[in-house]
Amino acid sequence: MNRWLAWGVLIFGVLYFILPLYGMAEFSLSMRRGVYSFDAYTKVLTDPTFQQTFSYSVMMAVFTIIFGVLLVVPTAYWVRLKMPEARPFVEFITLLPLVIPAIVIVFGYIRLYNTSSWLPLTGSVTGTNLLLMFGYATLSLPYMYRAVDTGLRTIDVATLTEAAQSLGASWATILARIILPNVLVAVLSGAFVTFAIVIGEFTMAALLDRPAFGPYMQLLGANRAYEPAALAVIAFAITWACMGLIQLVSRFSKHTKAQR
Amino acid sequence: MAFLELDNLEKFYGPVQVVKKFNLSVEKGEFISFLGPSGCGKTTTLRMVAGFETPTSGSIRIDGQDIVRLRPNQRNIGMVFQSYALFPNLTVAQNVGFGMKVARRPKAEIDARVKEMLGIIGLPDLGARYPFQLSGGQQQRVALARALAIQPQVLLLDEPLSALDAQIRVSLRSEIRAIQQKLGITTIYVTHDQEEALSMSDRIVVMHKGKADQVGTPVEIYNRPATRFVAGFVGTLNQIEGRVEDAANGLVIAGGQSLALGRRLEQSNGTSVALAFRPEALHRGEHPGEIGLTGRIAEVHFLGAVIRMKVDIGGTQVSLDSFNRAGADLPRAGDDVALSIAPGDVLVLGD
């Protein structure tokens, strides 16, 4: 009886997720009347705007991840090592982006850093990109911090630090050679979430007027029928590829083999 | 001047003083153990030498140079931890070579040293393994090699054997001692295990409530404990309450019996004292030249090589150890026995 119920719930769940995906995939293949074809995909992939916006967003994602790692790993490490009493506070701060809408952040940015402010970041393309990256990093903070903090929990941070210190290592060396490699899998999962957020983000990119993938998707969705579906399928494929990559990397990291 | 000198070292955590006026001179190549119960300040003292704790006052000098102001990574001190603390992301060889790599030594030199170190610890073929692929004993040996590879001025070991099982612990402690003697490295070893301290050390510092109660060779510590705490902490010690009858002639009444210690006592007539002696100093039967006592056997425990008995002497139970001999009868509980002890083995402890 219980078993049947469990199977029932499982099947319901699978259908719940699969059916819309199936419908979307089916629709994206139906651009040519009566037969399935990849016309919508060809159209999307050959669109130069797609290529530009997508590569722009990928690049932004990469920078955001690098910035996020440089910001979060030392912070989480330091909080764990020296200021354990500050942890609830830091956790609260990292959770704020979930509560504060992106639009509030971006309006705040524009008010603070507009061309007539003391730091006119929006006055140049590089400055605006930088601002956008900070915004993305803020959005990904809850996921990145949690992932890294969980990763740090699996190693004895204090003793490993002392061992490295007694061997002559500086803080930078300890972070780069000991701490980071040991939380790499956690960092990667945080990086993956960051990647997904940056690729799909609309509000910030649109309001800062940067040619990102999110606004492009929105534009396409508002004006075309089949292409948005194809685009969505492509986005799914990219997401799953990322997940697979993380699995692969964590499988290949030799020193954690025994723990799984 | 000694190689490592701890001078009036003190440490407060807020209002709590964990190390009090700690003085110690360690000669080059000496193996010193800090022995004491948990919370006695031994680990804190070690961590001050390593640089992980800052002394509230006092100085630490290595080879004449005060190191208190140096950061841990500038002190050139090797440290071995109870939890091994091997870097999980590095292989055994990379772990051992880590300190030299940080110091930017040439690769050939690192490789040669790593090979030499792995040879010394008896694991020459495990360089490519990761720490999780090693047993606890192997991991701790790698940790030792890692600490020694930087050729530290002083080696610190913080209860390195506590996490291992009994058999490995015994074999590894003689191994550590042999390596230490071979390299002639000045070593401080923190432990709460008296057997470890007695068997490995040149000298032992028995610590109690943040103070060094006694500093001495293992033989001195065991045979001539300076304080009641040392006497009670190191080894088993029997104590019988008594009263000085005749201090000039060394006569003490204890357990309803008169004991002639045959030496002048410092305590005056009539003061109450404790007579203390080791379980192995007391034996059954009467021996000429020794103090005779009578008692009643209360318990007998056959431990193989040793027979441990509890004997009731005038209402106080004391332990008595004797070696087992094939063919000898085991005494039985309830037997009245004659006992004897050499006068020199009896310590008179005042209050």
Side-chain angles (χ1 to χ4, degrees):
Chain A
M1 171 64 199
N2 243 339
R3 254 180 66 134
W4 291 116
L5 193 71
W7 277 107
V9 170
L10 183 70
I11 289 168
F12 173 76
V14 167
L15 288 179
Y16 185 86
F17 281 106
I18 294 286
L19 275 182
L21 273 181
Y22 171 76
M24 185 176 70
E26 206 265 343
F27 184 70
S28 73
L29 294 170
S30 316
M31 197 173 182
R32 202 175 293 174
R33 190 150 302 174
V35 285
Y36 287 139
S37 71
F38 284 102
D39 284 5
Y41 292 86
T42 328
K43 231 175 176 157
V44 166
L45 291 173
T46 50
D47 182 355
T49 325
F50 166 79
Q51 291 160 10
Q52 278 158 20
T53 56
F54 189 71
S55 49
Y56 174 83
S57 280
V58 168
M59 214 167 65
M60 286 305 289
V62 169
F63 281 118
T64 307
I65 288 166
I66 293 172
F67 176 73
V69 169
L70 289 180
L71 177 75
V72 167
V73 173
T75 310
Y77 167 70
W78 200 253
V79 167
R80 230 164 219 290
L81 190 67
K82 298 276 180 182
M83 302 190 293
E85 67 280 355
R87 249 186 83 205
F89 180 70
V90 175
E91 267 183 15
F92 175 73
I93 288 185
T94 58
L95 280 180
L96 282 181
L98 291 182
V99 192
I100 299 173
I103 194 155
V104 174
I105 299 175
V106 78
F107 270 127
Y109 278 174
I110 291 170
R111 263 195 81 88
L112 270 176
Y113 303 113
N114 62 38
T115 42
S116 54
S117 72
W118 56 281
L119 188 61
L121 279 177
T122 54
S124 67
V125 172
T126 323
T128 316
N129 283 343
L130 206 63
L131 215 50
L132 186 58
M133 186 195 77
F134 288 149
Y136 285 158
T138 311
L139 288 183
S140 67
L141 204 55
Y143 312 100
M144 198 64 163
Y145 188 85
R146 239 132 251 276
V148 171
D149 197 47
T150 312
L152 286 174
R153 196 173 305 160
T154 61
I155 57 172
D156 184 352
V157 173
T159 316
L160 288 183
T161 302
E162 286 179 357
Q165 277 182 314
S166 74
L167 293 167
S170 62
W171 290 116
T173 311
I174 294 172
L175 271 170
R177 296 232 183 116
I178 305 300
I179 302 301
L180 191 58
N182 277 306
V183 296
L184 200 59
V185 175
V187 166
L188 279 174
S189 67
F192 157 69
V193 179
T194 307
F195 188 84
I197 289 174
V198 172
I199 292 295
E201 212 282 333
F202 169 77
T203 318
M204 287 188 168
L207 286 170
L208 288 173
D209 193 24
R210 297 308 305 142
F213 192 56
Y216 170 73
M217 280 204 287
Q218 192 274 337
L219 192 73
L220 206 65
N223 297 306
R224 300 295 177 95
Y226 296 97
E227 284 91 334
L231 205 54
V233 172
I234 292 171
F236 262 107
I238 292 167
T239 314
W240 283 340
C242 284
M243 270 178 172
L245 274 180
I246 287 178
Q247 284 293 318
L248 215 61
V249 170
S250 53
R251 183 110 13 118
F252 276 118
S253 74
K254 289 181 209 139
H255 61 276
T256 50
K257 238 183 227 161
Q259 290 153 22
R260 51 195 69 243
Chain B
M1 199 167 63
F3 182 66
L4 169 65
E5 281 188 291
L6 312 185
D7 197 10
N8 275 323
L9 214 53
E10 295 203 286
K11 177 71 183 173
F12 285 85
Y13 287 123
V16 186
Q17 188 170 19
V18 286
V19 177
K20 298 170 188 162
K21 293 270 172 220
F22 190 93
N23 289 291
L24 182 69
S25 298
V26 184
E27 295 301 326
K28 198 163 186 151
E30 216 178 355
F31 191 113
I32 300 276
S33 288
F34 290 177
L35 175 66
S38 55
C40 70
K42 55 190 194 300
T43 296
T44 308
T45 310
L46 189 84
R47 290 171 59 80
M48 287 194 281
V49 177
F52 302 135
E53 306 279 352
T54 315
T56 310
S57 64
S59 70
I60 302 168
R61 285 188 300 276
I62 295 181
D63 214 1
Q65 190 203 358
D66 194 333
I67 58 163
V68 168
R69 293 190 178 284
L70 292 183
R71 278 182 274 130
N73 58 352
Q74 302 169 322
R75 292 193 182 194
N76 194 27
I77 284 176
M79 178 108 181
V80 176
F81 299 84
Q82 182 179 343
S83 58
Y84 324 134
L86 293 179
F87 306 130
N89 56 315
L90 302 179
T91 63
V92 165
Q94 287 167 336
N95 261 286
V96 175
F98 184 84
M100 299 182 70
K101 190 156 183 204
V102 166
R104 295 179 202 284
R105 311 299 304 167
K107 192 175 179 304
E109 189 189 330
I110 298 178
D111 289 346
R113 178 79 54 75
V114 167
K115 200 165 169 234
E116 182 197 341
M117 284 298 147
L118 291 180
I120 286 178
I121 59 164
L123 303 172
D125 306 320
L126 300 188
R129 297 262 184 102
Y130 280 91
F132 75 84
Q133 295 168 312
L134 304 181
S135 70
Q138 289 172 328
Q139 289 193 45
Q140 197 56 297
R141 278 190 274 174
V142 173
L144 180 66
R146 181 180 67 177
L148 290 170
I150 57 169
Q151 298 185 309
Q153 301 190 78
V154 177
L155 176 67
L156 307 176
L157 302 115
D158 187 5
E159 309 228 7
L161 305 179
S162 302
L164 300 169
D165 53 44
Q167 225 172 349
I168 307 284
R169 215 181 297 161
V170 172
S171 66
L172 202 49
R173 78 182 175 211
S174 47
E175 212 170 307
I176 290 177
R177 176 62 163 156
I179 291 170
Q180 184 266 334
Q181 283 180 320
K182 184 173 169 192
L183 301 178
I185 184 162
T186 313
T187 303
I188 300 181
Y189 187 99
V190 161
T191 181
H192 61 262
D193 183 328
Q194 40 163 314
E195 213 176 285
E196 265 172 42
L198 291 171
S199 65
M200 298 170 85
S201 324
D202 292 314
R203 282 193 296 155
I204 297 174
V205 179
V206 183
M207 292 188 68
H208 178 46
K209 291 185 178 165
K211 278 205 319 261
D213 262 27
Q214 187 176 6
V215 183
T217 64
V219 173
E220 283 168 2
I221 297 279
Y222 190 81
N223 290 342
R224 290 194 295 282
T227 66
R228 273 198 193 219
F229 173 78
V230 176
F233 187 75
V234 182
T236 313
L237 194 79
N238 294 310
Q239 295 197 27
I240 303 182
E241 296 301 324
R243 188 167 47 78
V244 179
E245 186 74 6
D246 182 352
N249 296 314
L251 213 61
V252 177
I253 305 279
Q257 304 180 39
S258 175
L259 291 93
L261 299 178
R263 61 175 189 262
R264 222 191 136 72
L265 300 179
E266 294 162 16
Q267 290 82 358
S268 55
N269 289 351
T271 48
S272 50
V273 291
L275 298 184
F277 50 90
R278 301 284 181 195
E280 66 272 18
L282 188 68
H283 24 254
R284 285 180 291 154
E286 286 167 25
H287 296 268
E290 296 196 348
I291 306 167
L293 285 162
T294 56
R296 174 170 291 171
I297 306 252
E299 290 170 30
V300 179
H301 300 283
F302 180 65
L303 305 177
V306 172
I307 303 167
R308 176 156 296 167
M309 286 160 268
K310 295 272 187 203
V311 184
D312 191 304
I313 300 178
T316 310
Q317 280 211 350
V318 299
S319 296
L320 185 162
D321 285 355
S322 71
F323 283 113
N324 177 37
R325 280 199 314 271
D329 282 337
L330 275 184
R332 277 193 305 273
D335 288 355
D336 283 318
V337 285
L339 304 163
S340 66
I341 186 166
D345 286 341
V346 181
L347 301 164
V348 180
L349 304 172
D351 295 318

